[in-house]
Amino acid sequence: MTTTTDAPGAVRQLVGSSRPLSWINTAYPFAAAYLLAGGGITVALVLGTVFFLVPYNLLMYGVNDVFDHESDLRNPRKGGVEGIVLDRRWHTLTLWSAGLLALPFVIALLLLGSLTSALVLVVVLAAVIGYSAPGLRLKERPVLDSLTSSTHFVGPAAVGLALSGAPLTLAALAALAAFFLWGMASHAFGAVQDIVPDREAGIGSIATVLGARTTVRLSLALYTAAGLLMLAAGWPALLAGLLVIPYIASIWPYRSLSDEHGDRARPGWRRFLGLNLLTGFLLTQLLIWIALRS
């Protein structure tokens, strides 16, 4: 049981487990998609944005931290902005908190939306749980790991579009597809730095199967494809395709990386975290410009 004395420690662990640095990465796509589709300032917008800001991230990362505890203890990347090592005594509290905090928002979004938005939300939540939960562990199934991880971040945007009730246009479909390829590329590249420890631990990933060089080159191809897909979005939305260029430039030096030196990709991953902030800013400016033109 959590006492009044250790409550602050529990809160710190729960907040840390939710990855505050990533909150905006899921709330922003939902809100942007909902508003751009013509949803307006509504209860659904507010509830959805709050849900994808904190509860969704606690559900996604909290479940992951509980069931990845043993591997996290040996992961040098844990303990900072990329995630804490969740104290074992908070595991049960984390699972209960993640579920109970998300539940009222999920119920509200189901009631406020349509059958389509409900189905999209259910698929997204299934991907969140299935990524880490015992039995499925999609994060350890090569290729499926990147597909599922990308769903975690594209999913909120898809929910926003579906919840708005707007028809799925070619521009919206192109943007979602490009975002999905970007997410796959990012996850795949992130897995490269863990090839050696993952293989030693018997953990499968897209990088452990394809190897460092092939995985990095696949990421380069996926980033490029994402940028080209945005051409179908029309002017001026197609300008968003240019935002993949910094990512391509960032990981290009690792295109011939050997498996045993996979950890040398870590600086590229750190740049990726910073690039996300820059990209988010530039994308926001573009979206504001598009809104002012309409």
Side-chain angles (χ1 to χ4, degrees):
M1 292 291 291
T2 301
T3 66
T4 303
T5 303
D6 55 17
V11 171
R12 283 194 297 271
Q13 287 274 290
L14 289 174
V15 171
S17 186
S18 70
R19 312 288 200 280
L21 188 64
S22 296
W23 289 358
I24 193 66
N25 294 340
T26 47
Y28 181 90
F30 168 82
Y34 186 86
L35 289 171
L36 287 173
I41 307 300
T42 64
V43 172
L45 171 67
V46 175
L47 290 178
T49 302
V50 173
F51 170 63
F52 285 112
L53 186 69
V54 183
Y56 180 79
N57 280 288
L58 180 59
L59 184 66
M60 177 162 57
Y61 293 117
V63 172
N64 181 77
D65 284 349
V66 169
F67 295 113
D68 279 12
H69 181 72
E70 294 304 322
S71 60
D72 284 350
L73 289 172
R74 300 187 294 272
N75 191 335
R77 293 200 287 135
K78 293 295 183 176
V81 296
E82 295 181 55
I84 66 170
V85 177
L86 186 65
D87 193 306
R88 191 183 297 275
R89 66 173 175 150
W90 303 123
H91 283 189
T92 299
L93 175 65
T94 298
L95 293 177
W96 275 103
S97 297
L100 292 177
L101 186 60
L103 185 60
F105 289 96
V106 172
I107 292 174
L109 292 175
L110 290 175
L111 293 175
L112 290 169
S114 62
L115 177 60
T116 299
S117 65
L119 289 174
V120 174
L121 180 59
V122 169
V123 169
V124 172
L125 293 177
V128 166
I129 301 300
Y131 187 71
S132 303
L136 291 174
R137 295 290 288 177
L138 297 176
K139 66 174 297 178
E140 295 184 13
R141 301 178 186 273
V143 182
L144 278 178
D145 56 347
S146 289
L147 289 169
T148 309
S149 177
S150 187
T151 301
H152 294 165
F153 299 98
V154 179
V159 172
L161 284 173
L163 198 60
S164 74
L168 186 62
T169 63
L170 176 60
L173 184 60
L176 286 177
F179 191 10
F180 192 83
L181 293 181
W182 175 90
M184 284 191 65
S186 301
H187 176 274
F189 178 72
V192 169
Q193 61 193 316
D194 294 325
I195 286 178
V196 172
D198 279 352
R199 283 178 176 168
E200 291 176 348
I203 297 174
S205 75
I206 190 171
T208 62
V209 169
L210 298 181
R213 180 173 61 180
T214 300
T215 303
V216 173
R217 294 183 179 189
L218 174 62
S219 294
L220 287 167
L222 289 172
Y223 279 136
T224 302
L228 293 175
L229 258 177
M230 284 305 298
L231 292 174
W235 178 266
L238 61 82
L239 292 174
L242 297 174
L243 296 177
V244 303
I245 294 177
Y247 293 96
I248 293 173
S250 178
I251 71 173
W252 180 262
Y254 308 104
R255 64 192 182 281
S256 298
L257 195 65
S258 64
D259 289 7
E260 58 268 26
H261 294 139
D263 59 331
R264 293 182 180 177
R266 183 155 173 71
W269 181 250
R270 287 187 175 276
R271 284 196 298 273
F272 166 80
L273 298 176
L275 281 174
N276 287 346
L277 299 177
L278 174 62
T279 300
F281 170 78
L282 294 175
L283 183 59
T284 299
Q285 306 313 303
L286 177 60
L287 294 179
I288 291 173
W289 182 40
I290 292 175
L292 291 176
R293 292 177 76 253
S294 61

